[in-house]
Amino acid sequence: MMSQLDVLIRNGQLVDGTGAPAYVADIAIKDGRIAAIGSDLETSLGGACQTIDAAGLIVTPGFVDVHTHFDGQATWDERLWPTSQQGVTTAVMGNCGVGFAPCRPEDRNTLIALMEGVEDIPDTALHEGLPWTWESFPQYLQALSERRYDIDIAALLPHGPLRVYAMGERAVRREQATEQDLQAMQELVRQGLEAGAVGLSTSRTMAHRSKSGDFTPMYQAVSEELLALGLSLKNYPNSVFQMISDFDHTEDEFNILRRVSQDTGCASTLTVLQYLHRPQLHRELLGHIEQANAQGQRIMGQVLNRPVGVLMGFECSLNPFSCKPSYEALAHLPPAERIAALAQPATRSAILSEKDGKPHLFMEYFGQNFAAMYPWIDEQPNYLPQPCDSLQAMADAAGVPPLEWMYDFMLGQGGQALVYLPMANYLGNDSTALHELLRHPHTVPALGDGGAHVGTICDGSATTFLLTEWVRDRGAFTMEAAVQLLTQRPASLYGFHDRGVLEVGKLADINIIDLAQLKILPPHIVRDLPAGGKRFLQGAEGYRYTLKSGQITYQDGRSTDALPGRLVRRHQA
């Protein structure tokens, strides 16, 4: 009989993350790891400091989220909301080529403007919150390693800061890198990987722009540059090359991922979406991924398990009125005063009559498509709306022009009412593409973007959506398959071999779930970022317990005082 256990979870229905059928058993936890799994462990192993009765509940590994942007938030915050509120116990940040290291002091404003533009994080929050106790990427990791969190975090080395550090203003002007520039960047990549970066990330999409509206320093970086940097991953097992691209030249773009994976033995991963303007691109990319894996390359698509969309409202970063002069003139007012001003008939009339100044890219493309916008009428968010739920349908029924109807609707709930705009993965209100993406053997659920798009998106809850909508409510996936998607598969992608399954010796990262009561709560705006910056948060009900390294971090949706989360370095994975 071993010394007293730390925690004993009794009689839970274990969904172990491997895809195997669920079974009832106990889990014994000692020193942060799973010490035993079996029946009646209390009799065979003795008592525990804490016993949890999980009868009638589902016990799973903690979820692994491989696409977040906590690069700034992790330097000032201990609780990585909203991601850690949704059953996630490990998160990878530094995606899409944006971050804050390496960085010389004179380039700080450049990287802040880049992060604000690409990931919608207020520059005021970044200016006040970032301590800038680092210059190099190894120094940045060291700063993170000295902090404590409610989840584990790992960091990719981002291409944007890397390019600015090596090339200065020439990177901002998007000049081609010289051979000397490439050698400098390759050495910086190797230093980052040696220090524990879990890979390298880049972005080649026109949707990513700096605060000024300019393309990012890495946009249209030549393929030779990406290959040179990607090939720096050789000799660094478990490192990953992450890329987002518009895939305008699909074969050429995908070949970058192929070459990196083939020549380094490391994994490559890319964002895969179904777009309105290219409705078959996701199938084309899945075909390339399938062929590459059959040939021995390791390439995984990152997919969101619900439509990719934005939230619009008067407290959000985006809405069709955002760039109208009379609307912008009220931006300096406190929230309550601004909403009161927007409710004034003269202000309403002026805004509705004005033309846009310089609209955001999303509003330029989607801002007048009222048939594809969906007001959230009920308290429960509706991520799979039907045509009858559209703003156009409601405006037509009321006999009111849709823009006017939208303005008045968003004044509701004290100016907090939200309109949902799905932009990808849901063409014609059809979720077929979502199922294709999730069922593919070489994809992983991701793109929750925790820590980013804080005034437009709150997709950290997509983990919970998979279990509620697709498993419990629609039966599209088994619980065993869904849990494997959220745990073992993403952990395997990044070589996190100490987590992702319920197995003796693994980390005791565990969720205990009341599936019948599991639900996503409505997203809401709070102003808790540094300098009073605003962001969306979204909680959940039904997670009875979340344990990180054997310590209870959340119980019935409430955080505890435990902060067992740490920085995970590549060589520790």
Side-chain angles (χ1 to χ4, degrees):
M1 185 178 295
M2 68 175 63
S3 59
Q4 189 175 41
L5 301 169
D6 297 325
V7 181
L8 179 63
I9 301 170
R10 299 179 61 248
N11 300 320
Q13 185 176 25
L14 273 58
V15 182
D16 66 9
T18 67
Y23 62 99
V24 175
D26 300 345
I27 298 180
I29 298 170
K30 181 72 176 176
D31 298 330
R33 294 186 177 268
I34 297 175
I37 299 175
S39 300
D40 197 18
L41 293 183
E42 190 167 19
T43 300
S44 58
L45 298 180
C49 296
Q50 182 169 9
T51 299
I52 298 174
D53 183 3
L57 304 177
I58 294 172
V59 181
T60 76
F63 305 150
V64 179
D65 187 338
V66 299
H67 197 111
T68 74
H69 294 276
F70 288 118
D71 310 70
Q73 187 177 334
T75 69
W76 69 70
D77 208 346
E78 297 173 327
R79 294 184 172 85
L80 300 183
W81 294 351
T83 299
S84 60
Q85 298 172 299
Q86 305 288 338
V88 172
T89 53
T90 302
V92 177
M93 61 189 196
N95 289 276
C96 300
V98 290
F100 299 108
C103 181
R104 294 186 175 89
E106 60 267 27
D107 295 325
R108 291 171 182 174
N109 288 343
T110 297
L111 296 192
I112 286 175
L114 180 61
M115 183 65 82
E116 181 183 27
V118 172
E119 302 298 346
D120 183 34
I121 303 173
D123 63 346
T124 51
L126 295 173
H127 278 295
E128 180 163 313
L130 288 166
W132 292 115
T133 55
W134 62 85
E135 179 172 319
S136 70
F137 196 82
Q139 289 170 341
Y140 174 69
L141 292 184
Q142 181 60 33
L144 295 177
S145 73
E146 295 168 0
R147 297 184 56 82
R148 301 291 179 261
Y149 305 100
D150 56 359
I151 62 175
D152 279 349
I153 57 170
L156 292 158
L157 198 162
H159 185 193
L162 178 70
R163 204 168 201 266
V164 172
Y165 194 86
M167 298 174 59
E169 280 298 316
R170 291 185 297 117
V172 178
R173 294 194 298 268
R174 300 191 307 283
E175 294 183 13
Q176 185 169 332
T178 65
E179 184 62 32
Q180 187 176 3
D181 295 330
L182 287 177
Q183 291 175 3
M185 285 191 276
Q186 286 177 311
E187 178 57 29
L188 290 168
V189 171
R190 286 190 283 268
Q191 290 175 13
L193 293 170
E194 289 284 352
V198 294
L200 175 72
S201 71
T202 192
S203 167
R204 292 164 67 84
T205 172
M206 65 176 294
H208 285 171
R209 308 197 184 193
S210 72
K211 182 182 179 181
S212 65
D214 293 330
F215 292 115
T216 70
M218 60 205 146
Y219 179 65
Q220 292 184 326
V222 296
S223 299
E224 289 77 7
E225 177 179 333
L226 292 186
L227 277 173
L229 297 180
L231 295 178
S232 301
L233 273 58
K234 191 172 184 178
N235 301 321
Y236 295 96
N238 296 328
S239 55
V240 174
F241 180 69
Q242 184 265 333
M243 184 172 80
I244 180 172
S245 173
D246 295 326
F247 288 100
D248 291 332
H249 306 285
T250 308
E251 189 74 35
D252 293 341
E253 296 278 284
F254 195 84
N255 277 339
I256 298 171
L257 297 159
R258 279 180 176 272
R259 281 286 310 278
V260 170
S261 181
Q262 176 179 299
D263 293 357
T264 67
C266 295
S268 293
T269 182
L270 66 153
T271 297
V272 183
L273 301 173
Q274 180 198 41
Y275 294 107
L276 179 65
H277 65 290
R278 295 180 70 184
Q280 298 303 316
L281 177 61
H282 68 293
R283 289 180 177 146
E284 187 178 353
L285 290 173
L286 290 177
H288 282 299
I289 291 170
E290 203 166 308
Q291 183 182 47
N293 280 275
Q295 294 173 350
Q297 293 114 41
R298 188 159 175 248
I299 301 178
M300 296 286 284
Q302 293 190 15
V303 303
L304 189 66
N305 56 50
R306 66 187 186 204
V308 176
V310 298
L311 299 175
M312 299 183 293
F314 284 140
E315 282 292 278
C316 302
S317 300
L318 293 178
N319 65 63
F321 314 103
S322 299
C323 294
K324 298 183 184 294
S326 295
Y327 187 94
E328 291 179 323
L330 304 175
H332 68 284
L333 294 176
E337 291 182 29
R338 195 166 60 83
I339 297 302
L342 289 168
Q344 294 297 318
T347 304
R348 175 184 183 275
S349 178
I351 291 173
L352 289 169
S353 67
E354 291 171 349
K355 293 184 177 180
D356 287 333
K358 187 179 180 182
H360 187 280
L361 184 67
F362 290 165
M363 290 298 94
E364 188 174 352
Y365 280 95
F366 300 102
Q368 301 298 312
N369 188 5
F370 302 111
M373 299 179 186
Y374 302 91
W376 277 352
I377 304 294
D378 300 323
E379 180 179 329
Q380 190 66 19
N382 181 10
Y383 291 102
L384 298 173
Q386 295 303 303
C388 60
D389 303 317
S390 75
L391 191 150
Q392 184 71 62
M394 295 185 182
D396 289 346
V400 177
L403 200 62
E404 293 184 24
W405 193 96
M406 184 177 190
Y407 190 101
D408 295 336
F409 173 80
M410 292 197 311
L411 285 172
Q413 302 176 34
Q416 304 294 314
L418 297 174
V419 176
Y420 178 53
L421 172 60
M423 299 183 297
N425 290 2
Y426 199 52
L427 274 58
N429 304 87
D430 184 0
S431 57
T432 300
L434 283 168
H435 292 170
E436 290 178 7
L437 292 168
L438 282 169
R439 287 199 173 102
H440 197 276
H442 302 301
T443 63
V444 59
L447 310 179
D449 273 348
H453 304 294
V454 294
T456 52
I457 292 173
C458 201
D459 282 341
S461 61
T463 52
T464 308
F465 183 89
L466 178 57
L467 301 184
T468 54
E469 194 73 33
W470 297 133
V471 174
R472 183 191 64 199
D473 298 342
R474 302 194 182 217
F477 294 84
T478 66
M479 190 69 176
E480 291 86 349
V483 169
Q484 186 178 30
L485 286 173
L486 295 173
T487 58
Q488 185 189 53
R489 192 174 290 185
S492 176
L493 172 62
Y494 274 85
F496 297 150
H497 301 306
D498 59 351
R499 66 199 71 200
V501 294
L502 299 178
E503 183 180 302
V504 173
K506 305 290 189 185
L507 285 175
D509 295 354
I510 295 172
N511 286 313
I512 303 175
I513 303 169
D514 184 342
L515 186 61
Q517 299 301 314
L518 189 64
K519 72 174 183 178
I520 300 168
L521 299 177
H524 60 284
I525 289 285
V526 299
R527 295 181 178 272
D528 65 348
L529 292 179
K534 67 183 179 184
R535 62 168 172 162
F536 272 114
L537 288 183
Q538 186 172 30
E541 293 179 355
Y543 291 104
R544 294 296 313 281
Y545 297 89
T546 296
L547 290 81
K548 170 75 200 90
S549 297
Q551 298 184 44
I552 297 172
T553 50
Y554 289 87
Q555 183 173 349
D556 292 323
R558 295 185 298 274
S559 59
T560 69
D561 293 332
L563 294 170
R566 302 291 186 268
L567 173 72
V568 178
R569 300 180 190 261
R570 182 195 56 81
H571 49 74
Q572 294 176 348

